[in-house]
Amino acid sequence: MATATTHLVIADDHPLFRNALRQAVASVLSEAVIDEAGSFDDLTALLEKDSEVDLVLLDLTMPGISGFSGLIYLRAQYPAIPVVIVSASDDGATIRRSLDFGASGFIPKRFGVDVLRDAIMKVMDGEIWLPPDTDLAAGADPEMTKLRDRLVTLTPQQVRVLMMLSQGLLNKQIAYELGVSEATIKAHVSAILQKLGVESRTQAVIAAAKIAGSAWRQDVPTGK
């Protein structure tokens, strides 16, 4: 079982649900250090300051991310930190894709505190927790598997760039947000296109949206 020095981060944009998760964690790990993040930017800021985190409980949909983009980024940037998805979308395909992208478990939000407590205990003991009777074969698609395998080859920075492309930002806007040159962003975009096997930024966003179950936004502008 985890020690008193356990450090967890709850990343969810709903304060009431963050509080429920905090209570569930505290009931299992009374001395744990628990940080909260209401947006993906808040989460990455926390991890940049202190990456000695034992577990991240991550919502799939919160400001700054959509679909599996946040999970993909965390697994690329912080591969040693286990991430458990806590989501209201708990169909078999979503759960299977969460595991495909490296999640250590999946906890539906519809479950009560007792189930949350049990799930967190098992994950902290190194097990992968899934809802009972989960059908991981649901929605299996060989083409999606190929696309997923390409998507996970992106570097953390390339994932961030693709996320921003999906939000409709231009290269110069992405460069400003990330504090790098526009030439650097152009290089990232070229690498993204090559890795995903597509010819345009629009096609790249569409590919990302496919693997995210259409949750990844598609607001790509035509300009550079």
Side-chain angles (χ1 to χ4, degrees), residues 81-93:
I81 301 177
V83 179
V84 169
I85 298 300
V86 184
S87 177
S89 301
D90 57 0
D91 59 280

Side-chain angles (χ1 to χ4, degrees), residues 84-112:
V84 169
I85 298 300
V86 184
S87 177
S89 301
D90 57 0
D91 59 280
T94 299
I95 296 173
R96 177 178 52 78
R97 288 181 186 176
S98 296
L99 296 181
D100 286 344
F101 284 122
S104 296
F106 191 104
I107 306 173
K109 284 188 173 183
R110 59 185 168 83
F111 288 156

